Amino acid sequence: MPTLEVNFDGIVGPTHNYAGLSPGNLASEKNAGAVSSPKRAALQGLAKARRLAEMGLEQHVLPPQERPDIAWLRSLGFSGKDADVLTSAASEAPDALAAACSASAMWAANAATVSPGPDTADGRLHLSPANLAFNRHRALEGAFTTAVLRRIFADGAHFAVHGPLTATPRLFDEGAANHTRLAPSHGVPGVELFCFGRPAGAGCDLDCGVKTHPPRQAEEASRALARRHGVRNAVFARQHPRAIDAGVFHNDVISVGNEDVLLVHELAYDDTGRVIDELRVAMGETPLHVVLISEDELSLADAVGTYLFNSQLVTLPGAGGKGRMVLVAPIEVEEHAGARACADRVLAECDAVGAVEYVDVRESMRNGGGPACLRLRVVMTDSQRAALSGRTRLDDALHEELTAWVERHYRDELRPEDLADPALVDECRAALDELTGILRLGAVYPFQG
Ligand code: SUG
């Protein structure tokens, strides 16, 4: 019974824009106010997902959320017709309007934490949607993410979709971006590594050792997730505060693991040597191949600038042993001599990795989201894959339909002032209404009644 890692990529929504909403995310801060291209962003994301499907990986998609989030703006006291809500929010609280328009759900690595059956006490696949409560614009995602995951992973015999943890600082949860699974192979019990930036009991950012940027993931959230999923073999690691201050707001910006391979920067964790030792012990008889990148080889600044560690490290189905993995890296790595040398080192030193592929997801990168941010990894048996609901698997036909759908509905450009355009609300609803038909998800958006 083959067990595969399936990637669910978030389809970039029609309001993708640069509003500079994420403190500590240097790309988001730097590109605030720039003109975005929702169409290009969505096509880049679909092309990346398709490339993985072409490699033989099972690739799925998740729908965008409804934005602008008019219901949320109403909850803040803006009233009248939808157009009035937008106009008054634009003049009284433009930052709230920007939050209501973010297409941030594209970064599906933050959608949920996922523990596959071989790791859990009851043998089911457990998913916990993230509360994303650190950022206002991202905190809006949890409710819809929960609804969509419950629709796709509806079969309770195979799947358990929990609710998000309570949205409070000591339980800040950013999903799989701070979670890595290592295992001899996907289908057997593995080790789940949970990373956090806010140690248990930390009352404020200053308790977390950072100087410049606030940490996100809370240790108490990580421990609660491991507990509720029934994870039998878990390791917990604190992010290095220096990394967070250098712009590593999520651990997947500084490490990536797959099966028995871990690519990691020496400043990823507060004591990286100890964490690697713990992982080796937890892996038991299976040797863990670690490619450790030093600060001299690639500084934290260049790791954040190129997103080397936000590559996807994937196993080609059916391939065994040598060369069975591919590192899918952002094109920015290819353009940077130091980062490229690190990718080449992975190829040279790691027998399991047979190729590096470069992909262009620049629109997403400008908001701090690389190839690995755009996807949620879900390890599933073939009977679990057969139990999925909807038509989310990206084959050639779905890729073609989704590309045509983007071409029809998405704007070529979006400026910050366009977010107040009432036409955007109707455009987005028309697009999403059609999308639920294409993906056979039924009426999942509140506007669909
Ligand atoms: O949460 N950017 C996202 C990027 C998330 C990347 N995800 C992973 N590393 N897994 C964030 O900071 C920027 C939105 C804006 O600035 O408009 C934003 O939300």
Side-chain angles (χ1 to χ4, degrees):
M1 186 165 64
T3 296
L4 298 179
E5 179 186 274
V6 174
N7 282 288
F8 282 80
D9 275 46
I11 299 175
V12 177
T15 58
H16 157 67
N17 72 94
Y18 301 118
L21 297 175
S22 279
N25 170 342
L26 305 189
S28 154
E29 289 179 8
K30 180 172 141 208
N31 292 305
V35 180
S36 67
S37 173
K39 185 176 283 179
R40 200 179 317 122
L43 294 177
Q44 286 174 349
L46 287 173
K48 188 272 272 186
R50 188 196 195 189
R51 184 70 203 103
L52 272 92
E54 278 170 356
M55 289 181 202
L57 290 138
E58 185 163 327
Q59 179 68 54
H60 288 242
V61 290
L62 292 171
Q65 308 222 345
E66 186 196 352
R67 298 288 181 269
D69 191 337
I70 299 287
W72 179 65
L73 290 173
R74 287 188 189 282
S75 79
L76 300 184
F78 298 106
S79 57
K81 297 206 174 81
D82 290 348
D84 302 329
V85 169
L86 281 189
T87 315
S88 41
S91 71
E92 274 180 54
D95 56 333
L97 176 62
C101 290
S102 174
S104 53
M106 73 174 84
W107 299 298
N110 304 115
T113 302
V114 183
S115 300
D119 299 353
T120 65
D122 68 2
R124 289 190 299 166
L125 172 79
H126 287 252
L127 302 100
S128 281
N131 60 34
L132 292 167
F134 169 81
N135 269 313
R136 184 175 51 166
H137 67 289
R138 304 223 58 181
L140 303 178
E141 295 172 35
F144 183 76
T145 299
T146 307
V148 165
L149 293 180
R150 288 197 171 138
R151 204 154 279 207
I152 298 172
F153 297 89
D155 186 337
H158 290 291
F159 313 122
V161 182
H162 301 259
L165 295 170
T166 312
T168 187
R170 286 178 58 165
L171 290 171
F172 276 170
D173 176 23
E174 299 274 320
N178 295 306
H179 176 256
T180 306
R181 176 172 191 262
L182 300 164
S185 65
H186 289 316
V188 301
V191 181
E192 297 195 15
L193 171 61
F194 292 82
C195 297
F196 56 87
R198 300 178 166 264
C204 68
D205 295 353
L206 294 175
D207 294 340
C208 305
V210 292
K211 293 196 175 72
T212 322
H213 296 311
R216 296 199 191 179
Q217 183 80 27
E219 178 178 3
E220 288 169 73
S222 299
R223 290 190 184 274
L225 295 170
R227 200 181 299 124
R228 60 161 37 177
H229 289 187
V231 175
R232 289 174 299 190
N233 197 357
V235 170
F236 297 89
R238 180 176 171 180
Q239 289 179 273
H240 202 302
R242 262 180 72 190
I244 297 172
D245 277 335
V248 179
F249 53 95
H250 290 140
N251 195 251
D252 66 3
V253 173
I254 204 68
S255 77
V256 56
N258 180 53
E259 293 186 333
D260 56 352
V261 176
L262 180 67
L263 169 63
V264 62
H265 191 277
E266 65 174 342
L267 292 174
Y269 316 115
D270 62 347
D271 183 347
T272 301
R274 183 187 46 75
V275 175
I276 291 172
D277 287 347
E278 268 187 59
L279 289 172
R280 288 196 199 282
V281 171
M283 287 286 280
E285 283 168 14
T286 304
L288 179 66
H289 303 283
V290 179
V291 182
L292 187 66
I293 304 292
S294 69
E295 176 70 2
D296 286 347
E297 247 178 311
L298 191 71
S299 66
L300 282 173
D302 286 343
V304 171
T306 62
Y307 264 36
L308 165 71
F309 297 91
N310 204 256
S311 301
Q312 292 180 245
L313 186 56
V314 292
T315 305
L316 301 174
K322 255 179 129 147
R324 70 187 192 281
M325 296 187 198
V326 178
L327 189 73
V328 182
I331 201 154
E332 285 77 357
V333 169
E334 193 176 26
E335 295 166 352
H336 184 280
R340 199 185 162 148
C342 293
D344 289 343
R345 207 187 119 198
V346 175
L347 260 186
E349 274 181 27
C350 213
D351 281 355
V353 183
V356 181
E357 284 256 352
Y358 293 101
V359 291
D360 177 359
V361 288
R362 286 191 205 274
E363 283 285 324
S364 166
M365 284 283 284
R366 289 195 190 114
N367 253 337
C373 299
L374 287 161
R375 61 93 175 93
L376 183 67
R377 307 199 264 192
V378 188
V379 168
M380 283 187 280
T381 61
D382 59 354
S383 45
Q384 286 175 328
R385 298 198 309 279
L388 294 171
S389 308
R391 177 194 176 215
T392 57
R393 182 166 183 182
L394 192 77
D395 52 16
D396 286 349
L398 183 57
H399 178 263
E400 210 172 291
E401 275 179 63
L402 290 176
T403 301
W405 168 80
V406 169
E407 297 280 4
R408 262 197 316 280
H409 290 283
Y410 281 49
R411 295 191 185 188
D412 288 309
E413 286 192 345
L414 204 58
R415 298 183 156 67
E417 59 271 25
D418 297 332
L419 300 179
D421 177 1
L424 195 60
V425 179
D426 296 331
E427 281 170 37
C428 291
R429 286 185 180 157
L432 298 180
D433 195 37
E434 198 181 317
L435 182 67
T436 51
I438 297 174
L439 300 181
R440 295 181 202 141
L441 286 174
V444 70
Y445 294 104
F447 73 83
Q448 292 175 308

